[in-house]
Amino acid sequence: MIARPLSRWLIAFAGALGVTAALPAAADYPEKPIRLIVPFAPGGTADIIGRLFADKLGQALQQTIIVENKAGAGGSIGTRFVADAPADGYTLLLASSSTHGSNPAVYTNLPYDPVEDFTPITLMETIPGVLSVTASFPADDMAGLIATLKSKPDAYSYASSGAGGLGNLAMELFKSSAGVSILHIPYKGAGPAFTDVISGEVSMIWEPIAAELPFIRNGQLKPIAIASNERSTELPDVPTFKEAGIENYDAQAWNGLLAPKGIPEAVQARLHEASVQALKDPAMVATFASIGGTVVASTPEEFREVMRNDIAKWKRVATQAGISLSN
C-alpha cells in the first residue's frame, strides 16, 4: 500500500530535480565564447557575411563569437567538424546552399547527413544568381540567347566554379527549362571562371549576384536574367527568369545558421531569438542589400524545409544531367 505512492513520489521528486538542474544551464547560456565555423576560406562572401553576423549575434547574446575558417572539400570539412561537435550550443555552423543543398545532391559519400546531423536555427538570407554572357555574345536578352543556342547546339559553353557546384546545377536547370544544349567548362573557383568568360573564351556563367556585380557594372558581362521572384534593386533593368519566359526557375544561394544535432531546445530558442535580432540590425540589412541579398530570419522549421526542398530539387537536376561525384 505504501510502495506504489512512494515510488510515484520518488519519480516526481527526481523529475523535479532534473528540471531544476536543467534550468540554470539554459538560463545562463551562453556562459563562454561561441565558435562560428565558416567552412570556406577567409576573404570570400561567406566569410564576410559570417564575421559581420558573428559581431551582431555576439551583441545580441552579450557574449563573444569567434569565427573560425575550416575550408576544404567544398565546405565538407568544416561542416563535418560541426556535426561531430558537442551538442551544447557552443559550436555553430554558417551553412550554405552548397553545404546543405548542391553538395548533398551530387556527392555520394558526404561525411555528414545534411538534415539529420544538425539542429536548424534560422535561414539568414538569400542571394539570387544571375545568368550573364560575355560582352561580345550575339544576344542581349533571354529570347535572343535561347534562339542563338538553339541555332548552334553545343557551339557555346558555360563556366562554373566547379563540377557539382551551385553554378553547375543552376545552369543544368536552365538548360532543361529552356530546352537548349550548352557545354560545361568547370574551373577550380569562380575567379578563373570569370576570367575566361570575360575574355570570351567561354560564353556565359551563372553565379550569385554579389560575385557578378563588379563585372556587370563595368560592362565586362551582360546580365540576361536574375533568379529571384522580384527584380533586384542593384540591377533594376534585369528581368527575372519568369519575366524572361522561363517559368518555375528557382535557383538561389543562401546562408543559414546550424548547430549540432541534439542541442537543448531552450538553447535553440535562445539562439534563434538572438539571430533574428542580429539579422534585423540595420547594418546587417544594408550589407545584404549591397550584395543583392535579402534578410529572411526564418523559423527553425522553415529552414529545415528549405534544406530538404533544395536537396530534393538539386538531386533531380543532378540525376537528369548525370552528375555524380565523390570526395
Side-chain angles (χ1 to χ4, degrees), residues 10-323:
L10 287 171
I11 292 170
F13 181 70
L17 283 177
V19 171
T20 303
L23 284 175
D28 294 342
Y29 175 85
E31 297 181 290
K32 61 183 181 180
I34 297 169
R35 291 191 296 176
L36 175 63
I37 305 301
V38 175
F40 301 102
T45 302
D47 184 57
I48 293 169
I49 289 172
R51 291 180 185 280
L52 179 59
F53 176 69
D55 179 61
K56 299 302 179 183
L57 181 63
Q59 293 176 23
L61 291 170
Q62 297 185 338
Q63 185 56 265
T64 301
I65 311 292
I66 301 170
V67 176
E68 294 184 18
N69 297 89
K70 292 187 180 295
S76 296
I77 291 176
T79 302
R80 171 65 182 272
F81 179 84
V82 176
D84 292 341
D88 54 11
Y90 288 99
T91 303
L92 306 176
L93 175 71
L94 183 76
S96 72
S97 45
S98 294
T99 60
H100 288 74
S102 57
N103 283 2
V106 300
Y107 285 99
T108 58
N109 59 341
L110 275 184
Y112 60 88
D113 186 301
V115 177
E116 299 303 325
D117 286 347
F118 299 90
T119 298
I121 306 300
T122 189
L123 176 64
M124 296 162 54
E125 43 75 37
T126 57
I127 302 176
V130 180
L131 170 57
S132 294
V133 296
T134 188
S136 60
F137 194 84
D140 299 319
D141 57 23
M142 184 65 77
L145 173 62
I146 293 175
T148 300
L149 294 174
K150 286 187 174 181
S151 69
K152 297 180 179 179
D154 287 332
Y156 296 95
S157 57
Y158 76 88
S160 79
S161 58
L166 184 60
N168 180 191
L169 294 179
M171 280 301 295
E172 291 300 322
L173 178 60
F174 167 67
K175 285 168 57 178
S176 63
S177 299
V180 296
S181 183
I182 320 168
L183 294 176
H184 175 215
I185 311 296
Y187 290 79
K188 293 183 178 180
F194 276 120
T195 297
D196 278 7
V197 176
I198 290 168
S199 71
E201 185 75 19
V202 184
S203 308
M204 64 200 74
I205 192 170
W206 187 108
E207 279 290 321
I209 184 174
E212 292 203 26
L213 274 175
F215 306 115
I216 292 172
R217 286 171 173 163
N218 65 20
Q220 293 175 298
L221 291 177
K222 290 193 295 187
I224 299 298
I226 186 167
S228 58
N229 294 326
E230 298 178 352
R231 294 196 182 197
S232 168
T233 56
E234 299 298 316
L235 296 173
D237 296 329
V238 179
T240 65
F241 273 80
K242 184 175 182 179
E243 289 175 329
I246 306 297
E247 297 285 343
N248 303 316
Y249 186 88
D250 178 22
Q252 296 193 82
W254 52 258
N255 288 105
L257 187 65
L258 293 173
K261 175 183 179 181
I263 68 169
E265 290 183 6
V267 172
Q268 179 190 25
R270 179 74 182 102
L271 281 169
H272 178 261
E273 176 189 33
S275 295
V276 171
Q277 180 182 335
L279 290 167
K280 290 183 176 179
D281 184 282
M284 287 295 299
V285 174
T287 296
F288 286 134
S290 71
I291 59 174
T294 302
V295 169
V296 178
S298 74
T299 66
E301 293 74 22
E302 289 169 340
F303 184 22
R304 189 187 298 276
E305 195 63 19
V306 165
M307 289 189 289
R308 284 176 172 159
N309 289 340
D310 245 29
I311 294 167
K313 173 181 65 184
W314 294 130
K315 277 185 176 179
R316 289 193 297 271
V317 172
T319 298
Q320 182 176 355
I323 301 172

